[in-house]
Structures are given as structure tokens and as C-alpha cells.
């Protein structure tokens, strides 16, 4: 069984040492694969594809965070499930709640199945236990999807900031009248997530889950302020 660490930055100017240090602190024996390439598409990441060709059942891949594996929500989720099915362990140092070991631990049914003289009651109780296990599996899959979707949103947010920054640099400087009311990029980013993921709009998640898994750095008051603005719009 081999342990690998994969570190990635998007440009040649960025440094990977922080990620390397974090992985080595977690497991000093990890073999590091380093890449400087955008996380949008796995197909364009030669080093990562080389690692994927090398790993086998029983091996482990350690990432500093989920965005280092992929910034494409669908591609990242599908690859996660594919690797887990091959018995390859995935570790995310900043999102330990979606490690493959945690997924397996929480989806195993540790409750003993009922067996008594009342067959109908046994079937009812065991059916309920199966439903609970299914719910837990789906809940964990949602957490994994959210983690990769957040990475994709962060990538798009950074792209928008760079694009708008270039556009502003080409315009005459100065603050036009009423510009303080212009929505910030950050506000738009948060509102987009709320609109897409909240069960009060187009999604299916509770506010607590979105703040915990999707917007951990957003203050509670800020979250509800933007949600209220969306409802009033």
C-alpha cells in the first residue's frame, strides 16, 4: 500500500510549499506529486493523470483541500466515487468530513438487525433501519457534491474578479455618484449559492447546512441579510 500526496497551484508563479508541508506533517512518508496547472479539467493535468494511472487498490491519495483534486463539481464527484469503488483512500486535510474512510464508516449499518418471533414487526423495524442507512448515504453524497461545487464556485469567483479588475483598470478612475450601492462580487457570489442551494429557493438544503458546508467563512448575519434581500427582490 502506497501513500501519495498531490499538490497543485494554478500558475507557475504560485508556490506549492505550504501544501507540501501540510501533507508531510500529516504523513511524512507520502510521495509528493506536484503540478502547476488549472484545476478546471483533469484531462489537462498530466501529473495528476500520471498519479491516477499509478494508484491501485489499497493506496492513499492525500490532498491539502478538495479544490486541489478538482474545481469541477461533476467531474470531481464522479472521480471521488470511482476511486472509492476501487478501494483507494482519499484524504482531504481541510475537509476531513468527506474523507473516503469517513464515508465508509458512516454508511455502514452498525445497528443489529432484529430477529424475533414476530416476523411482520421484524420486517417493519429492519425496513426502517434500511431507510436510515439510505438517508445517511445520500446525506454524505450531498456533502461531497457540495464540497466540489464550492471549489467550482470559488474558481468562477476568482475568474470574475480578475476579469472585472482588468475592465476597471481600463476605465477612468474615480467613484461615480451612487457607486456605493453597487453590489460587490462577494455579495453576488454568496447570493448565487443561496439561490441555487437553499430549499427556500431552487435548492434542497437548510440554511445551517449551507453555512456549515458551503459558506463557512460567511458571517451568520451576512448570510441572512443576503437571503432577505433575495426574498424581497
Amino acid at each position: 500500500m502506497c501513500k501519495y500526496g498531490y499538490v497543485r497551484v494554478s500558475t507557475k508563479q504560485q508556490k506549492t510549499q505550504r501544501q507540501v508541508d501540510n501533507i508531510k506533517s500529516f504523513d511524512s512518508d507520502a510521495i509528493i506529486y506536484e503540478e502547476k496547472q488549472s484545476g478546471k479539467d483533469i484531462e489537462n493535468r498530466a501529473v495528476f493523470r500520471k498519479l491516477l494511472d499509478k494508484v491501485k487498490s489499497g493506496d492513499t491519495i492525500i490532498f491539502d483541500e478538495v479544490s486541489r483534486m478538482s474545481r469541477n463539481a461533476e467531474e470531481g464527484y464522479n472521480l471521488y466515487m470511482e476511486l472509492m469503488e476501487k478501494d483507494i483512500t482519499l484524504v482531504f486535510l481541510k475537509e476531513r468530513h468527506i474523507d473516503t474512510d469517513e464515508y465508509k464508516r458512516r454508511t455502514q449499518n452498525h445497528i443489529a438487525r432484529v430477529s424475533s418471533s414476530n416476523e411482520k414487526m421484524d420486517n417493519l423495524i429492519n425496513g426502517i433501519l434500511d431507510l436510515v442507512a439510505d438517508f445517511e448515504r445520500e446525506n454524505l453524497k450531498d456533502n461531497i457534491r457540495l464540497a466540489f461545487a464550492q471549489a467550482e464556485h470559488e474558481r468562477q469567483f476568482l475568474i470574475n474578479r480578475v476579469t472585472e479588475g482588468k475592465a476597471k483598470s481600463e476605465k477612468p478612475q474615480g467613484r461615480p455618484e451612487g457607486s456605493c450601492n453597487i453590489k460587490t462580487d462577494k455579495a453576488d457570489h454568496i447570493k448565487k449559492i443561496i439561490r441555487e442551494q437553499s430549499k427556500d429557493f431552487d435548492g434542497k438544503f437548510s440554511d445551517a447546512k449551507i453555512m456549515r458546508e458551503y459558506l463557512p467563512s460567511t458571517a451568520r448575519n451576512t448570510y441572512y441579510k443576503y437571503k432577505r434581500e433575495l426574498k424581497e427582490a
Side-chain angles (χ1 to χ4, degrees):
M1 294 186 293
C2 297
K3 295 182 179 180
Y4 302 97
Y6 176 76
V7 301
R8 183 188 63 77
V9 290
S10 298
T11 68
K12 295 185 182 300
Q13 291 74 34
Q14 293 175 301
K15 307 297 183 182
T16 59
Q17 193 58 49
R18 178 186 59 80
Q19 296 178 49
V20 173
D21 291 343
N22 290 343
I23 292 173
K24 284 293 187 178
S25 295
F26 179 79
D27 192 319
S28 59
D29 295 327
I31 303 169
I32 302 298
Y33 278 65
E34 180 179 333
E35 186 157 43
K36 296 191 175 185
Q37 179 66 42
S38 168
K40 179 184 177 183
D41 299 308
I42 292 174
E43 181 181 350
N44 296 325
R45 292 154 59 189
V47 175
F48 191 40
R49 286 192 286 107
K50 181 179 179 180
L51 174 58
L52 293 178
D53 290 338
K54 187 177 184 63
V55 290
K56 58 186 181 298
S57 176
D59 288 348
T60 298
I61 305 178
I62 306 166
F63 303 88
D64 186 47
E65 57 183 293
V66 69
S67 64
R68 301 306 89 192
M69 177 174 167
S70 178
R71 282 192 181 274
N72 181 306
E74 182 177 0
E75 184 178 61
Y77 173 79
N78 290 337
L79 179 60
Y80 178 105
M81 290 300 173
E82 177 185 335
L83 293 173
M84 184 171 62
E85 289 175 2
K86 293 180 179 178
D87 196 30
I88 295 168
T89 298
L90 303 177
V91 177
F92 304 95
L93 299 181
K94 290 186 173 60
E95 299 98 354
R96 299 304 306 276
H97 63 288
I98 63 166
D99 286 359
T100 50
D101 281 351
E102 179 67 8
Y103 180 92
K104 293 175 183 177
R105 183 186 71 80
R106 291 177 59 185
T107 54
Q108 290 174 350
N109 190 350
H110 298 291
I111 305 175
R113 298 183 71 79
V114 175
S115 179
S116 68
S117 58
N118 190 330
E119 183 178 353
K120 289 186 177 180
M121 182 59 69
D122 291 351
N123 290 338
L124 174 61
I125 295 175
N126 289 329
I128 293 173
L129 294 179
D130 288 339
L131 287 174
V132 171
D134 287 342
F135 175 81
E136 181 72 357
R137 276 190 290 271
E138 290 305 313
N139 185 56
L140 284 166
K141 287 180 180 178
D142 284 340
N143 286 343
I144 296 166
R145 290 189 184 97
L146 278 172
F148 283 107
Q150 172 69 2
E152 181 174 323
H153 275 293
E154 287 175 353
R155 175 181 176 277
Q156 190 58 49
F157 175 67
L158 291 173
I159 291 174
N160 291 342
R161 287 294 298 271
V162 171
T163 301
E164 292 177 5
K166 289 180 178 179
K168 289 178 181 178
S169 67
E170 296 172 356
K171 294 180 180 179
Q173 299 299 311
R175 182 189 295 265
E177 183 178 353
S179 63
C180 60
N181 295 321
I182 297 175
K183 298 177 181 178
T184 65
D185 292 337
K186 183 176 180 180
D188 289 341
H189 172 66
I190 294 173
K191 286 181 178 180
K192 181 178 180 181
I193 291 176
I194 295 173
R195 188 183 300 108
E196 291 178 351
Q197 306 300 335
S198 172
K199 62 184 179 181
D200 293 327
F201 297 98
D202 301 328
K204 59 178 180 179
F205 302 121
S206 67
D207 294 327
K209 184 178 182 69
I210 296 171
M211 283 188 282
R212 182 179 65 252
E213 306 291 353
Y214 222 149
L215 296 169
S217 61
T218 301
R220 183 182 179 87
N221 290 343
T222 301
Y223 176 91
Y224 284 110
K225 171 190 173 184
Y226 291 144
K227 183 178 180 181
R228 183 172 63 252
E229 290 178 0
L230 285 172
K231 287 184 174 181
E232 292 173 352

